[in-house]
Amino acid sequence: VQLQAYGGGSVQAGGSLRLTCEASGSTIGTNYMAWYRQAPGLQREWIASITVGGVRNYATSVGGRFTVSRDNPRKTVWLQMDSLKTEDTGVYYCKWVKSVNADLDEEYWGQGTLVTVSS
């Protein structure tokens, strides 16, 4: 699976951005997709995920402001980010997880897209 993430940019606090992650190649066996971000000087952190069946989970820091969605046939996942805060600044990465078997998953990462939120 190859992932192409885009949609980042610069926005003022309170604004919105929509990130897109497009997959190519075989996505058969996809279990879930996720978004992570890495703020300057910090470790990469999970912020949202969505299963193939549509079950969503969010980190506390973004719940109520971010919405993850997907289109399985289009092999695309989005992250709608509203009410952005300066602390949302970072490089955002999408991750695609496929189940190889009951005990093994394969993970694929996109290249990251930079989001900068200014006050």
Side-chain angles (χ1 to χ4, degrees), residues 1-116:
V1 178
Q2 294 79 46
L3 301 177
Q4 179 71 34
Y6 58 90
S10 297
V11 64
Q12 287 192 322
S16 298
L17 283 173
R18 188 191 198 203
L19 306 184
T20 300
C21 179
E22 297 176 341
S24 59
S26 175
T27 57
I28 294 174
T30 293
N31 187 353
Y32 68 92
M33 299 78 84
W35 287 96
Y36 286 69
R37 74 179 172 206
Q38 187 165 17
L42 299 179
Q43 291 187 333
R44 192 176 300 185
E45 62 173 343
W46 168 82
I47 57 172
S49 60
I50 185 168
T51 68
V52 171
V55 177
R56 299 173 172 87
N57 285 286
Y58 300 95
T60 302
S61 60
V62 305
R65 299 187 298 120
F66 290 11
T67 303
V68 61
S69 58
R70 89 281 182 262
D71 185 320
N72 294 334
R74 292 174 59 184
K75 302 179 183 180
T76 302
V77 60
W78 296 275
L79 183 68
Q80 176 67 40
M81 306 185 295
D82 299 316
S83 302
L84 282 162
K85 304 176 180 180
T86 55
E87 52 262 44
D88 294 319
T89 293
V91 178
Y92 284 69
Y93 299 87
C94 60
K95 184 175 80 170
W96 210 275
V97 180
K98 294 172 60 174
S99 293
V100 177
N101 55 48
D103 300 315
L104 179 65
D105 287 339
E106 291 180 342
E107 297 183 353
Y108 302 87
W109 290 88
Q111 82 286 6
T113 184
L114 176 63
V115 172
T116 303

